[in-house]
Amino acid sequence: MGKVRVDCFSISVDGFGAGPNQTLENPLGERGQELHTWFFPTKAIQKAVFGKDGGADGVDNGFAERSFENVGAWILGRNMFGPVRGDWLDDNWKGWWGDAPPYHCDVYVLTHYPRASFSLSDTTFHFVTDGPDAALKRAKASAGAKDVRIGGGASTIRQYLQAGQIEDMHLAVSPVLLGRGEHLLHGIDLNALGFKARMFSGEGATHYMISKW
Amino acid sequence: MGKVRVDCFSISVDGFGAGPNQTLENPLGERGQELHTWFFPTKAIQKAVFGKDGGADGVDNGFAERSFENVGAWILGRNMFGPVRGDWLDDNWKGWWGDAPPYHCDVYVLTHYPRASFSLSDTTFHFVTDGPDAALKRAKASAGAKDVRIGGGASTIRQYLQAGQIEDMHLAVSPVLLGRGEHLLHGIDLNALGFKARMFSGEGATHYMISKW
């Protein structure tokens, strides 16, 4: 069996995984995009997300690279899949990633509104309406010996953390202060859950490997 | 006029400035001492606190060194001065630091219980019962052109932050997870207060200079 893990989840120094006032135009909330300044310029992300050669190498890139390794299925909160709220008005919205999403496997999207699965290139999106446990069960079955990656957002990670279902978590702390927004860890006792942290200094963020060992 | 600043205040990855269940024997709370693993071995602290030559050099030591520069007066919460709660039973407790405290100036201790000032070597401790504003006024007068350093703990820093009185703050994030305890920033909007952060990677902690610029 693979692990259930979080990778490359970026938070601010004051602990927010997204800024306040998320809107259609600003899905990460006010200044939320500043959390990812370390991430997008890396070689791994330039290749995986934008299909481009080149980009920054180094510690940050190392974490971006390993985030794609051995992933057999993903789980995303609905807001990470798209800005549409409530009922799916039609099936036109197919995610933020164009015709070739960077997943290359089954992606389970948590939602309260049913929608048929569809594929883009080698990624298939499934819409799970019977809750996070059901999504995790399906994702594990699909991943087989590989890992299930919980993509986010903050509230999705919080749910799986509180349920004790996450085994490894890589957080990237970016040197920004958001002040308000979606806090990742407030009220969650990572020590009581058995986690310890190791620090790795990157060029644009500080990385923490949070595991049970 | 000098500045009002915080230096070398250590917090965990999950944002706690002290662990849970503070006691006489464990003034930093459970595992709170792990926050300071980067700090005590440095050359600057070995010299200033323990009077010893030698110790670790590097980025962490640089921050420890600059924390003593240009400080004209200190403000401490009562728990940083000692473990005694309630009325001062007698005047026997003279702080954690022995006969030669590392302050070398006036130190204003916030307390609800009056006590006469006293000196140890070139440090004089004053006990301020009329609140943080009064303590800051006296500390500024004593510091003159130099800075007032708010030593801590978390609740003292929170009070001065919320009052908009802190101008510069150096936080050191140690790679530990405390889970519970005294959270430094919960409910405080550093962005709205006008602060930005710069990151400096140390050997045992990651340092953030949090200032208005």
Side-chain angles (χ1 to χ4, degrees):
Chain A
M1 281 289 287
K3 287 187 169 177
V4 179
R5 57 185 245 228
V6 170
D7 273 291
C8 290
F9 193 78
S10 300
I11 61 175
S12 62
V13 178
D14 45 355
F16 297 98
N21 305 320
Q22 296 181 38
T23 59
L24 267 167
E25 295 73 30
N26 218 351
L28 298 168
E30 289 168 17
R31 298 183 53 226
Q33 77 288 353
E34 294 179 33
L35 296 174
H36 305 284
T37 308
W38 71 273
F39 181 68
F40 283 111
T42 60
K43 217 165 134 178
I45 298 306
Q46 286 295 310
K47 186 76 186 171
V49 178
F50 304 106
K52 291 183 185 165
D53 290 322
D57 210 340
V59 174
D60 290 342
N61 182 57
F63 278 95
E65 249 171 25
R66 73 175 281 295
S67 75
F68 292 103
E69 291 165 6
N70 203 44
V71 177
W74 284 67
I75 295 175
L76 301 182
R78 181 173 178 173
N79 300 358
M80 281 202 62
F81 174 72
V84 188
R85 300 292 181 273
D87 258 327
W88 304 100
L89 300 176
D90 54 47
D91 290 344
N92 282 339
W93 180 266
K94 292 185 188 296
W96 306 100
W97 309 278
D99 291 337
Y103 300 108
H104 315 291
C105 60
D106 284 316
V107 176
Y108 296 87
V109 178
L110 298 167
T111 171
H112 295 290
Y113 301 89
R115 177 172 167 180
S117 302
F118 69 89
S119 297
L120 283 174
S121 173
D122 55 354
T123 295
T124 302
F125 292 97
H126 306 279
F127 300 87
V128 182
T129 55
D130 45 355
D133 283 345
L136 185 55
K137 206 173 160 187
R138 291 178 63 186
K140 280 182 174 179
S142 171
K146 292 190 172 182
D147 297 341
V148 173
R149 182 167 165 190
I150 312 289
S155 68
T156 299
I157 295 175
R158 288 176 61 83
Q159 279 183 305
Y160 285 110
L161 272 177
Q162 282 165 319
Q165 289 162 328
I166 290 177
E167 293 161 87
D168 279 311
M169 181 162 64
H170 160 227
L171 299 181
V173 178
S174 289
V176 298
L177 299 165
L178 293 184
R180 292 181 302 132
E182 272 197 276
H183 203 279
L184 181 66
L185 296 175
H186 180 63
I188 296 182
D189 187 337
L190 290 184
N191 179 50
L193 286 165
F195 287 105
K196 293 192 187 301
R198 278 174 296 186
M199 175 182 85
F200 302 86
S201 300
E203 298 78 21
T206 304
H207 303 273
Y208 296 95
M209 292 300 304
I210 295 177
S211 323
K212 304 174 180 187
W213 79 83
Chain B
M1 281 288 289
K3 286 187 172 180
V4 179
R5 56 185 245 228
V6 170
D7 272 291
C8 290
F9 193 79
S10 299
I11 61 174
S12 63
V13 178
D14 44 356
F16 297 98
N21 305 321
Q22 296 181 38
T23 60
L24 266 167
E25 295 73 30
N26 218 350
L28 298 167
E30 289 168 17
R31 299 182 53 226
Q33 77 287 355
E34 295 179 33
L35 296 174
H36 306 283
T37 308
W38 71 272
F39 181 69
F40 284 111
T42 60
K43 216 164 135 179
I45 299 305
Q46 285 295 311
K47 187 75 185 171
V49 178
F50 304 108
K52 291 182 184 164
D53 290 322
D57 210 340
V59 174
D60 290 342
N61 182 59
F63 279 95
E65 250 171 25
R66 71 175 282 296
S67 75
F68 292 103
E69 292 164 5
N70 203 44
V71 178
W74 284 68
I75 295 174
L76 302 182
R78 180 172 177 173
N79 300 358
M80 281 202 61
F81 174 71
V84 188
R85 301 290 180 273
D87 258 328
W88 304 99
L89 301 175
D90 55 46
D91 291 345
N92 283 339
W93 180 266
K94 291 186 189 297
W96 306 100
W97 308 277
D99 290 336
Y103 300 107
H104 315 291
C105 59
D106 285 316
V107 176
Y108 296 88
V109 178
L110 298 167
T111 171
H112 294 291
Y113 301 90
R115 178 172 168 180
S117 302
F118 70 90
S119 297
L120 283 174
S121 174
D122 55 355
T123 296
T124 302
F125 292 97
H126 306 278
F127 301 86
V128 182
T129 54
D130 45 355
D133 283 345
L136 186 55
K137 205 173 161 186
R138 291 178 62 186
K140 281 183 172 177
S142 170
K146 291 190 171 180
D147 297 341
V148 173
R149 181 166 165 191
I150 312 290
S155 67
T156 300
I157 295 174
R158 288 176 59 84
Q159 278 184 304
Y160 285 110
L161 272 177
Q162 282 165 319
Q165 289 162 328
I166 290 177
E167 293 161 87
D168 278 311
M169 181 161 63
H170 160 227
L171 299 182
V173 178
S174 289
V176 298
L177 299 164
L178 294 183
R180 292 180 302 132
E182 273 198 275
H183 203 278
L184 181 65
L185 296 176
H186 180 63
I188 296 183
D189 187 337
L190 290 184
N191 179 50
L193 286 165
F195 287 105
K196 293 192 187 302
R198 278 175 297 187
M199 175 181 85
F200 302 87
S201 301
E203 298 78 21
T206 303
H207 303 273
Y208 296 95
M209 292 300 305
I210 295 176
S211 323
K212 304 175 180 187
W213 80 84

